[in-house]
Amino acid sequence: MIYTDDFFSPTSSYPMDDLVKLVDSNTFENVNFKKIAHWYDGSLMDDSKLDSFIYRKKGNTYYVDAEFIANNSFNIKKIGLKADGQTDDTLPLQKAIDIAIKLKVKLKLPSGVIKIINQISIDISQTNNLKGYEIEGDGIGVTIIKSENNNECNTAIYFKGINEFQFVKMKGFSIVRPDTGISSGGTGLKFEKAVYVELEDIDVFRFSNGIEFNDVALGMLTRISARWCKTALKGSMQPGGFTPPNLINFVGCGFHSNSVSGVHLENCHNVKFDSCGFEGNSGNPLDIIFNAANGAVGLNAINNYFEGNKGEADIKITNLKEGVHNITGNTFNRLSKDHHTYYNILVAAEAQGNQVLNMTGNGFFSANDFIPEAGKPAWHIPWNSESFEITDFNYYSNEVLRPNLNLKNIIKLKKEYNTGTLNINADGTYSNGTNGLTSMRYNQGIYLITLPHNVNTIQSLQITARQGDANITTLPSFGYGILNNNTVQILCRDQNGATDSGFLLNIEYK
């Protein structure tokens, strides 16, 4: 088989014909292009369907790229994209995206460094018959899109849909700024008016805003990293928009070392963070605003890791309306006097009325040179806390981290909790016992309290003590065990150690 080059000449008016000019000398058939009469969707070809790369015309005859016919995809490098890290690939990448939109096919990005200096737009807002769009690279650190536009208003890759179900999927690439030691250059990935966004295996590095969601609902983000940005990810509903961030799942994502904040979601509903890492952020790692616009559930945080962050709190929730948040099985580590949040969980309750904070199985840890302070508990509700129902089945590595639950405090536990009080004198005698509480002096500074209750039904036990009217502290240590089938025996130590001074004991139990 002999190939000649007389099918398309380099001087042809059609772009890049010098790349597709081989003809079989026996069949006289173009090897790279096939003659056609119909477009990919079966409709008759006409000039409006030409794109100068995949579908072309010579004389009165239409041709299609043979690789596209075989694989339903096309080699983006045929359009002139170099991915060498030096050549400006903005125009060929944009052209490839436009062709993929027109042909309704997934765009496969090559390995290498794709340098862009202007915004890349994926606009399917005018293509009413297009319900999805996909871009896939060869993997993080293998396919790299490098944005070298220094304009803070610039967006590297911008997706725009319409107010109906449209699927967009991006997978397997890094999008980066030059590493000059600062976060700059606008936004890495921006999505507007998208119902269902799926992002997988993407790393965003050194942008002012890593990822931005405007009017996005139904999302799945898996193994997404946004690091060394100013803000890792923002989500909101724009003025006149149609949805706040709703039903978005973050699984196995990392939001690390961002200089302003980690994830900030405005008026979200039923978002979930599962097994995500938040480390080394200089502002609130996870900042949620909730207004119950689309339902009564706000944040679901499960099995996440928070360590070495700064700011008001590792998780900050601003409640504008009544609703519930569920925080389960998370690790909160304050390990350094220089890098720690003031609280691990902070709820700014602007709303009044029924509000619920469920906390189960979280671990609050302090070590190294971080010294817990009484004014910096693990979680805090500074105002309107009387309207909350709180479930607190957590572990505190230091009792100073446990919020004070004295009855004088306006925080209340679940409504079905019972309360007992007991005034214990220095000699172990008592007065004003309620709910059957009694005490005796066990040893110097140690008292044995008996609480009539069926131990098999006790689900939680909160003990606080007061010495004097103004000084409320949590007991340094206590233990409890079965006295018989109907009582619980609690061993308490005077907060002054071996000194017998007496105190008022409060017990809340379920």
Side-chain angles (χ1 to χ4, degrees):
M1 184 180 293
I2 301 173
Y3 296 108
T4 64
D5 61 358
D6 57 355
F7 187 78
F8 285 119
S9 74
T11 59
S12 168
S13 60
Y14 293 95
M16 298 173 61
D17 284 341
D18 57 322
L19 299 179
V20 286
K21 58 187 178 181
L22 300 180
V23 175
D24 188 319
S25 60
N26 293 321
T27 65
F28 298 101
E29 180 183 15
N30 185 275
V31 175
N32 298 316
F33 278 77
K34 303 289 185 182
K35 292 181 180 180
I36 55 165
H38 296 85
W39 203 34
Y40 79 97
D41 64 357
S43 61
L44 286 173
M45 275 298 299
D46 58 53
D47 289 357
S48 68
K49 297 168 183 174
L50 299 174
D51 55 56
S52 300
F53 291 96
I54 307 303
Y55 286 90
R56 301 193 188 182
K57 183 179 182 181
K58 184 175 178 64
N60 294 320
T61 304
Y62 294 104
Y63 295 85
V64 65
D65 186 293
E67 182 180 2
F68 176 74
I69 293 295
N71 304 318
N72 200 36
S73 65
F74 59 91
N75 185 347
I76 193 173
K77 288 192 173 182
K78 288 183 179 179
I79 301 177
L81 188 139
K82 302 297 184 184
D84 59 9
Q86 303 298 319
T87 306
D88 178 12
D89 284 327
T90 306
L91 291 179
L93 178 57
Q94 184 65 66
K95 183 63 178 178
I97 286 172
D98 294 343
I99 292 174
I101 290 175
K102 189 171 185 177
L103 300 179
K104 302 178 183 178
V105 296
K106 178 170 70 175
L107 181 64
K108 188 72 170 64
L109 300 177
S111 59
V113 179
I114 302 171
K115 175 183 173 181
I116 61 174
I117 61 172
N118 289 312
Q119 176 176 291
I120 299 296
S121 295
I122 306 171
D123 188 350
I124 64 173
S125 62
Q126 304 303 315
T127 55
N128 294 327
N129 62 338
L130 182 62
K131 299 302 181 184
Y133 190 81
E134 296 186 51
I135 292 181
E136 182 176 342
D138 285 335
I140 291 175
V142 180
T143 298
I144 302 172
I145 301 172
K146 187 176 183 181
S147 172
E148 296 194 5
N149 189 317
N150 294 321
N151 188 341
E152 283 290 327
C153 296
N154 179 69
T155 295
I157 298 180
Y158 169 55
F159 174 90
K160 183 178 181 181
I162 57 178
N163 296 359
E164 63 179 51
F165 188 90
Q166 288 184 306
F167 173 87
V168 55
K169 180 177 181 178
M170 297 186 181
K171 178 181 179 180
F173 60 86
S174 300
I175 180 164
V176 306
R177 293 277 304 140
D179 190 5
T180 61
I182 60 173
S183 304
S184 61
T187 302
L189 296 172
K190 183 175 180 178
F191 300 86
E192 182 176 324
K193 298 187 186 306
V195 181
Y196 201 82
V197 172
E198 184 173 320
L199 305 181
E200 181 179 350
D201 295 327
I202 296 175
D203 178 45
V204 185
F205 176 73
R206 284 292 189 197
F207 286 88
S208 294
N209 298 317
I211 301 172
E212 187 173 349
F213 285 163
N214 294 333
D215 296 318
V216 172
L218 294 172
M220 185 72 183
L221 280 70
T222 306
R223 295 182 300 276
I224 302 302
S225 171
R227 57 196 177 92
W228 293 100
C229 299
K230 290 182 180 177
T231 298
L233 186 146
K234 291 182 176 180
S236 64
M237 182 173 72
Q238 295 300 291
F242 75 102
T243 180
N246 287 342
L247 295 175
I248 300 176
N249 288 317
F250 298 81
V251 180
C253 299
F255 305 100
H256 305 314
S257 303
N258 299 287
S259 61
V260 176
S261 64
V263 176
H264 176 78
L265 300 178
E266 296 181 5
N267 301 329
C268 62
H269 164 246
N270 230 330
V271 296
K272 183 181 74 171
F273 291 84
D274 186 345
S275 303
C276 297
F278 299 82
E279 296 185 60
N281 297 285
S282 296
N284 298 336
L286 183 52
D287 199 329
I288 300 294
I289 299 175
F290 174 70
N291 70 350
N294 288 17
V297 179
L299 172 65
N300 298 290
I302 178 172
N303 195 38
N304 302 293
Y305 190 87
F306 297 85
E307 181 176 274
N309 300 297
K310 292 185 177 180
E312 294 176 280
D314 291 300
I315 297 178
K316 180 181 178 182
I317 302 170
T318 301
N319 263 13
L320 303 179
K321 294 288 180 65
E322 300 177 12
V324 60
H325 307 282
N326 304 293
I327 303 174
T328 302
N330 301 279
T331 295
F332 296 92
N333 289 350
R334 291 191 279 187
L335 302 183
S336 167
K337 66 180 180 180
D338 298 320
H339 289 84
H340 67 270
T341 51
Y342 202 90
Y343 308 105
N344 294 124
I345 302 171
L346 174 65
V347 182
E350 304 286 349
Q352 298 186 25
N354 185 30
Q355 301 174 75
V356 178
L357 180 62
N358 287 325
M359 297 178 293
T360 304
N362 302 290
F364 299 101
F365 186 72
S366 62
N368 300 326
D369 59 356
F370 173 75
I371 301 175
E373 302 176 32
K376 297 180 180 180
W379 56 270
H380 185 51
I381 304 175
W383 57 83
N384 288 336
S385 51
E386 73 279 0
S387 63
F388 271 81
E389 295 182 14
I390 300 169
T391 303
D392 181 2
F393 299 146
N394 301 310
Y395 170 78
Y396 301 88
S397 64
N398 188 302
E399 282 299 305
V400 176
L401 297 175
R402 187 190 299 274
N404 193 328
L405 296 176
N406 188 278
L407 287 181
K408 292 184 67 175
N409 198 308
I410 58 176
I411 296 177
K412 64 180 180 181
L413 295 180
K414 293 171 70 89
K415 292 178 179 178
E416 59 266 31
Y417 269 73
N418 298 310
T419 299
T421 61
L422 191 67
N423 191 69
I424 301 176
N425 303 314
D427 61 1
T429 60
Y430 65 90
S431 60
N432 300 323
T434 63
N435 282 351
L437 282 174
T438 61
S439 79
M440 62 173 286
R441 186 175 181 273
Y442 180 79
N443 205 337
Q444 186 175 13
I446 300 176
Y447 305 91
L448 202 60
I449 290 84
T450 300
L451 168 65
H453 196 70
N454 184 345
V455 297
N456 294 322
T457 66
I458 284 188
Q459 297 179 25
S460 71
L461 196 61
Q462 300 286 344
I463 302 177
T464 55
R466 176 167 61 88
Q467 282 191 319
D469 291 334
N471 185 19
I472 300 174
T473 60
T474 303
L475 286 175
S477 64
F478 70 89
Y480 68 91
I482 300 174
L483 180 62
N484 55 48
N485 289 333
N486 297 310
T487 61
V488 175
Q489 195 174 69
I490 305 166
L491 188 66
C492 296
R493 183 182 298 276
D494 191 311
Q495 67 175 354
N496 290 326
T499 303
D500 287 299
S501 56
F503 49 86
L504 176 66
L505 179 72
N506 302 303
I507 296 179
E508 296 177 338
Y509 63 93
K510 180 180 178 183

